Amino acid sequence: MNPDICRERENATFNTETLTNMLDGSAEKTRRRREIESLVINDPDFQHDDPNFMSRSERYDAAVKKSSQMIMKLRDYGISDPEEIYFYKRTARRTFHEAFGLHYTMFLPTLYSQCTPEQQKKWLPLAENFKALGTYAQTELGHGTHIRKLETTATYDPSTQEFVLNCPTVSSIKWWPGGLGKTSNHAIVLAQLYTLGKCHGLHAFIVPIRCMKTHQPLPGVTVGDIGPKFGFEEVDNGYLKLENVRIPRENMLMKYAQVEPDGSYLKPPSDKLTYGTMVFIRAMIVGESARALSKSCTIAIRYSAVRHQSELRPGEPEPQILDYQAQQYKLFPLLAAAYAFTFVGQYMSDTYHRITGHINQGDFSQLPELHALAAGLKAFTTWTANAGIEVCRMACGGHGYLCCSGLPDIYVTFTPTCTYEGENTVMMLQTARFLVKCYRQAREGQQLSGTVSYLNEQQRLQPQPVSSRPTVVNINDLASLVEAYKLRAAKLVEVAAKSLQGELQRSISQEDAWNNSSIELVRASDAHCHYVVVELFAAKLSEISDTAVHSVLNTLALLYALHGITLNSGDFLQLSQITQRIKALLVEIRPNAVALVDSFDYNDEMLNSVLGRYDGNVYESMFEWAKRSPLNRTEVRSFIIFNIIQKK
Ligand SMILES: CC(C)(COP(=O)(O)OP(=O)(O)OC[C@H]1O[C@@H](n2cnc3c(N)ncnc32)[C@H](O)[C@@H]1OP(=O)(O)O)[C@@H](O)C(=O)NCCC(=O)NCCSC(=O)CCCC(=O)O
Ligand SMILES: Cc1cc2nc3c(=O)[nH]c(=O)nc-3n(C[C@H](O)[C@H](O)[C@H](O)COP(=O)(O)OP(=O)(O)OC[C@H]3O[C@@H](n4cnc5c(N)ncnc54)[C@H](O)[C@@H]3O)c2cc1C
């Protein structure tokens, strides 16, 4: 064990196991998680070479093999709890995605949430036993964001009681769905529903695309892989062109909307229920932001504890780079954000399941807030985590640029979360739409609830414009900082609403007024989400009984809130002493930095990083890793070069 990293652990002021248990929910949950992870770690079937040493085809084949092995092994172990399956799979997958990913994350959830009981009886056994392997085909070449304009059509033929699926133009070709290129034999296809000559908008259909016996594309189906991407090497994101493909009427997901045998259409309680799977994934992505950022912080902070570089005081030994204030200022606010997003991810998942429980009982009243919250927090946390992973990579110097650091793979795998499942700017504008509506309701005296109730508060407190109020902040008191974030959010929502109003008074259209206020609208959503994150971090602290853990997390929460103020000082009165206070907090966190990342409890196999190894033996591991590179398997290439040189 590296002596530096041992010393770091001796200096910690709290028990990492206590914090790990808190993050897992209990000591028993930690035990069980580790037990499941060890099933993968000790399984020779999952010991393979680094995918970075493989070609794309080899990586795809290895990923499909691993997906199949996981299915068999989970059955053999009798692991069926979704959370335990997730622990098992994320340990086996490490940083990488899997070709079956969309089957689990979107195909199955869509069947669960949008099929009638009869349809579930038919499709769930097929899908749960992987006979029907599916993806979620919504995006087309011409449209990803604006789904009301998707062009694929599903036209009902009452004479045969079938839907005819068509991609009428090049721009209507389905493009991007994960697992579509080679893996899936079915797809949930989102298409414009036409029946009795009328278009009823976007609906979901189960479309067989490959033969379940031969895996060959079915008649009328053109399907394939869209080619190499920035990352996601294991995932066969694909294209799908449907030409007069007929499916039975029963293949339209009819929990909410129906087409009768004669072609008559029964409308759903809300036309946004078809969008439900996207809300689910957005809500879950918040937790993924926490995991990507916490893994990156674990790697960068452990490495910074063992890396010695430069000279702090002449004549003294080279210090650990973690002792540089500049290095602490890069990493510790991200460490604080990783903890904040971990708690927000838990809140978002709980809120999603609570509100969808009400929706399943027919109460749709909280759907707008769920959509706004999931959209905003997905955008807010992925933007922060995406930028943070790059900061962690660069904080590791040249070695951070090596694949064996794990950081390039974390980055290229995580970064599309800012685009897919709702492009982040578009998501922030969706949240803004909800906030402006709530602001107007508060102005009219309506009582708001949930995360927007502060808009009532600000109206009641003082009627004059929020933006004119002084901001007095006690920078050592988290409750006071939460108030500052609340006031900032209220102020920026008011600025955006007033911008819209001003544009409308110039008598331009609602749509142009909206577009001309987009900058304020996005900033209002960002401020709202930032307030929600700070508020939830503070609320979590009140649940912690262990004084040592409470103290270290309180320090992190203060750092997160104060650092956020310096990043947005234009919105807050710039409090000159904040920078000094931040410096003092960095010093406070320094002795606990390694223990704080240890508490995330990532085993080396999952972290997949020679820089972030638990034992800190970085250099030895890097050299061993490099020697395994395929380029080093033979000397032939240097022989070729030798020949070229001889010939000159
Ligand atoms: C941007 C919008 C939301 C706009 O939708 P629209 O129908 O044009 O609605 P609008 O006129 O803006 O607003 C009308 C109204 O619809 C509401 N609404 C919008 N979306 C939802 C929802 N999901 N749940 C509940 N309500 C929703 C809005 O809040 C509006 O409500 P309001 O009228 O203001 O009361 C939509 O086009 C959209 O969601 N675009 C993003 C598409 C997307 O997320 N694609 C993901 C494809 S799958 C994928 O990427 C997989 C990733 C891979 C992986 O996970 O591994
Ligand atoms: C790795 C990956 C996996 C994917 N997997 C799937 C999948 O499994 N299934 C699936 O159906 N799709 C999938 N997608 C597609 C993904 O959902 C879309 O790419 C995403 O929804 C963004 O849509 P777009 O590509 O059309 O971007 P665009 O909307 O064209 O975005 C381009 C720019 O236009 C801006 N813009 C667009 N509309 C507005 C607006 N109203 N106001 C302001 N600015 C706007 C955006 O902010 C952005 O800056 C995947 C994509 C990726 C990268």
Side-chain angles (χ1 to χ4, degrees):
M1 188 75 80
N2 177 289
D4 288 326
I5 209 136
C6 288
R7 194 169 50 254
E8 294 292 336
R9 291 174 176 135
E10 286 153 16
N11 293 341
T13 62
F14 70 98
N15 179 316
T16 53
E17 191 66 11
T18 306
L19 183 46
T20 298
N21 295 165
M22 198 212 93
L23 293 175
D24 282 324
S26 69
E28 171 50 26
K29 285 198 169 188
T30 299
R31 185 202 64 76
R32 180 64 181 151
R33 170 178 58 76
R34 285 171 177 163
E35 184 180 45
I36 288 168
E37 290 170 351
S38 67
L39 292 174
V40 176
I41 293 163
N42 302 324
D43 187 333
D45 286 340
F46 289 132
Q47 312 310 323
H48 54 68
D49 224 344
D50 189 318
N52 287 296
F53 294 148
M54 299 178 195
S55 70
R56 178 156 187 236
S57 301
E58 288 166 337
R59 289 178 72 152
Y60 171 72
D61 293 343
V64 170
K65 183 174 171 227
K66 188 186 282 190
S67 290
S68 318
Q69 287 173 324
M70 284 195 278
I71 292 163
M72 253 68 94
K73 291 170 184 282
L74 284 165
R75 268 190 203 135
D76 295 346
Y77 293 130
I79 295 176
S80 57
D81 173 83
E83 191 178 42
E84 295 189 351
I85 291 174
Y86 177 73
F87 291 149
Y88 186 87
K89 290 171 66 64
R90 86 176 175 188
T91 309
R93 281 193 295 109
R94 297 180 178 172
T95 307
F96 307 104
H97 276 271
E98 59 173 309
F100 289 17
L102 259 290
H103 179 80
Y104 291 105
T105 60
M106 295 197 84
F107 185 73
L108 274 168
T110 305
L111 298 181
Y112 293 136
S113 60
Q114 301 194 33
C115 277
T116 62
E118 295 72 31
Q119 289 175 320
Q120 289 194 344
K121 216 176 287 166
K122 171 182 179 185
W123 288 105
L124 287 186
L126 289 170
E128 288 170 347
N129 290 308
F130 304 93
K131 290 188 173 43
L133 250 183
T135 182
Y136 181 88
Q138 174 176 292
T139 301
E140 297 171 354
L141 264 174
H143 293 90
T145 287
H146 195 32
I147 55 181
R148 272 189 287 132
K149 281 292 179 196
L150 289 172
E151 298 173 82
T152 298
T153 59
T155 308
Y156 185 64
D157 178 353
S159 67
T160 61
Q161 295 195 21
E162 292 172 316
F163 287 101
V164 183
L165 273 292
N166 253 314
C167 297
T169 58
V170 172
S171 54
S172 67
I173 293 173
K174 292 298 179 185
W175 196 272
W176 272 112
L180 177 61
K182 311 303 286 182
T183 311
S184 303
N185 57 23
H186 286 76
I188 302 277
V189 174
L190 279 291
Q192 304 293 351
L193 164 63
Y194 285 83
T195 177
L196 305 181
K198 190 168 183 302
C199 179
H200 295 280
L202 217 50
H203 289 72
F205 302 84
I206 302 177
V207 182
I209 54 175
R210 285 189 172 89
C211 170
M212 291 171 80
K213 291 191 176 65
T214 65
H215 208 60
Q216 290 300 317
L218 294 172
V221 173
T222 306
V223 64
D225 181 84
I226 62 172
K229 307 172 289 281
F230 191 40
F232 263 56
E233 299 290 295
E234 287 74 17
V235 181
D236 50 318
N237 298 85
Y239 59 78
L240 171 68
K241 181 171 172 53
L242 299 168
E243 291 170 282
N244 294 319
V245 173
R246 285 180 170 267
I247 59 175
R249 181 180 69 89
E250 293 75 17
N251 279 35
M252 171 182 156
L253 301 192
M254 293 209 221
K255 179 174 181 181
Y256 295 114
Q258 294 84 33
V259 169
E260 299 287 307
D262 66 358
S264 49
Y265 175 73
L266 304 178
K267 63 194 292 236
S270 155
D271 65 354
K272 297 308 174 199
L273 289 165
T274 307
Y275 294 11
T277 304
M278 292 183 278
V279 178
F280 166 66
I281 297 289
R282 290 167 193 156
M284 297 307 122
I285 286 176
V286 177
E288 289 309 306
S289 298
R291 266 178 288 285
L293 191 54
S294 55
K295 282 173 84 169
S296 303
C297 288
T298 300
I299 294 167
I301 286 172
R302 283 182 180 165
Y303 178 64
S304 299
V306 301
R307 176 73 167 178
H308 291 253
Q309 200 66 202
S310 309
E311 196 175 60
L312 201 54
R313 298 175 199 87
E316 286 193 5
E318 290 184 278
Q320 294 162 284
I321 55 175
L322 199 55
D323 285 337
Y324 290 115
Q325 185 186 78
Q327 188 81 350
Q328 295 170 12
Y329 189 58
K330 282 176 197 169
L331 298 178
F332 294 174
L334 291 175
L335 176 60
Y339 272 93
F341 292 176
T342 300
F343 304 139
V344 173
Q346 290 164 352
Y347 167 83
M348 190 68 248
S349 175
D350 296 346
T351 302
Y352 174 82
H353 292 298
R354 177 174 56 79
I355 294 179
T356 41
H358 296 160
I359 288 168
N360 290 336
Q361 304 302 317
D363 171 5
F364 300 98
S365 61
Q366 294 180 78
L367 179 58
E369 173 161 21
L370 176 64
H371 163 54
L373 197 60
L377 288 178
K378 179 264 185 189
F380 182 83
T381 61
T382 53
W383 262 333
T384 303
N386 189 60
I389 297 164
E390 263 298 82
V391 170
C392 288
R393 180 185 66 77
M394 289 184 272
C396 294
H399 301 339
Y401 192 65
L402 263 174
C403 285
C404 65
S405 76
L407 289 160
D409 285 331
I410 292 173
Y411 183 79
V412 296
T413 305
F414 183 81
T415 193
T417 58
C418 297
T419 305
Y420 67 49
E421 223 56 75
E423 199 280 331
N424 278 2
T425 305
V426 174
M427 291 297 102
M428 282 294 193
L429 289 168
Q430 283 292 306
T431 302
R433 185 173 172 137
F434 177 71
L435 292 172
V436 166
K437 185 187 287 189
C438 294
Y439 172 82
R440 288 172 178 157
Q441 289 167 351
R443 296 280 292 178
E444 291 155 9
Q446 276 189 51
Q447 185 52 44
L448 302 171
S449 62
T451 56
V452 289
S453 54
Y454 66 89
L455 294 174
N456 285 128
E457 230 174 280
Q458 301 309 335
Q459 290 307 323
R460 260 199 315 277
L461 276 180
Q462 290 161 5
Q464 82 256 24
V466 166
S467 41
S468 64
R469 269 179 236 146
T471 315
V472 179
V473 181
N474 173 350
I475 64 172
N476 293 307
D477 173 26
L478 202 49
S480 172
L481 291 168
V482 170
E483 285 306 307
Y485 274 85
K486 186 188 288 186
L487 193 54
R488 171 196 178 218
K491 183 169 74 173
L492 290 182
V493 170
E494 181 179 73
V495 165
K498 287 187 178 309
S499 167
L500 268 174
Q501 221 171 329
E503 290 292 338
L504 286 170
Q505 274 152 14
R506 289 176 44 224
S507 67
I508 62 169
S509 72
Q510 170 77 21
E511 291 72 20
D512 287 340
W514 181 266
N515 190 39
N516 294 347
S517 301
S518 292
I519 295 169
E520 290 87 349
L521 289 162
V522 171
R523 288 175 54 71
S525 294
D526 182 77
H528 171 74
C529 293
H530 211 160
Y531 154 65
V532 169
V533 171
V534 172
E535 207 275 335
L536 288 173
F537 202 164
K540 189 70 181 179
L541 286 175
S542 60
E543 298 168 17
I544 299 169
S545 53
D546 182 287
T547 44
V549 168
H550 183 278
S551 166
V552 72
L553 289 184
N554 186 62
T555 307
L556 281 181
L558 283 170
L559 178 62
Y560 179 75
L562 292 171
H563 184 253
I565 289 176
T566 60
L567 293 181
N568 299 281
S569 53
D571 301 338
F572 299 84
L573 284 177
Q574 169 61 352
L575 299 157
S576 57
Q577 70 269 41
I578 278 188
T579 306
Q580 293 315 312
R581 185 71 183 104
I582 285 177
K583 291 178 180 180
L585 291 169
L586 295 179
V587 172
E588 263 183 65
I589 289 166
R590 173 65 187 84
N592 284 316
V594 170
L596 281 163
V597 297
D598 284 352
S599 301
F600 290 130
D601 199 33
Y602 287 116
N603 53 61
D604 284 348
E605 287 71 15
M606 228 162 88
L607 212 49
N608 197 27
S609 165
V610 296
L611 302 187
R613 295 170 56 92
Y614 188 83
D615 65 11
N617 294 330
V618 168
Y619 300 135
E620 302 81 349
S621 320
M622 278 177 75
F623 191 36
E624 285 315 307
W625 184 85
K627 284 191 280 186
R628 296 204 318 267
S629 167
L631 277 176
N632 298 323
R633 281 178 200 151
T634 61
E635 293 310 320
V636 68
R637 278 167 184 68
S638 54
F639 177 70
I640 293 169
I641 293 165
F642 178 72
N643 259 345
I644 291 166
I645 293 168
Q646 295 314 312
K647 282 199 182 100
K648 65 182 178 206

